Amino acid sequence: FFLGKMATVTDRVVGFVLMALGLLIWGYYTAWTIITPALPTDHPIQAYFPDRSLALTIPGVAGILLLGGIGLFVQRVAADKAAKAARKKSS
């Protein structure tokens, strides 16, 4: 949503860096998962990529950690809300 103020130069630089980093990671992962399986294992470009089994393991573990973190956050917010309601009710 738009709050009526323009982004500062710092906001724009941070946004650009995050977009560039995301594009770099996406490009590397895409090359790793789509291009390298089509190349022979002794091809020189294979030296720049980890083992192919990690191509699914790393995002899987990251996804599990992300979902766990979201679950913990939701649980914490719900517990804080319940505690606040209990304090208000007992007062």
Side-chain angles (χ1 to χ4, degrees):
F1 57 91
F2 182 67
L3 298 176
K5 56 183 176 179
M6 299 296 291
T8 63
V9 174
T10 305
D11 293 338
R12 290 177 186 217
V13 169
V14 169
F16 177 78
V17 168
L18 290 174
M19 288 294 292
L21 183 64
L23 185 62
L24 182 69
I25 291 171
W26 176 82
Y28 182 83
Y29 185 75
T30 301
W32 181 23
T33 57
I34 295 176
I35 296 171
T36 58
L39 299 174
T41 55
D42 60 344
H43 196 279
I45 200 168
Q46 296 283 7
Y48 296 104
F49 297 97
D51 187 32
R52 290 181 190 148
S53 65
L54 294 175
L56 294 177
T57 305
I58 292 172
V61 170
I64 290 170
L65 291 175
L66 177 68
L67 290 174
I70 291 171
L72 288 173
F73 175 76
V74 169
Q75 186 272 335
R76 175 68 187 253
V77 169
D80 288 348
K81 188 175 181 180
K84 186 177 179 182
R87 280 193 308 267
K88 186 176 182 181
K89 186 177 182 182
S90 67
S91 298

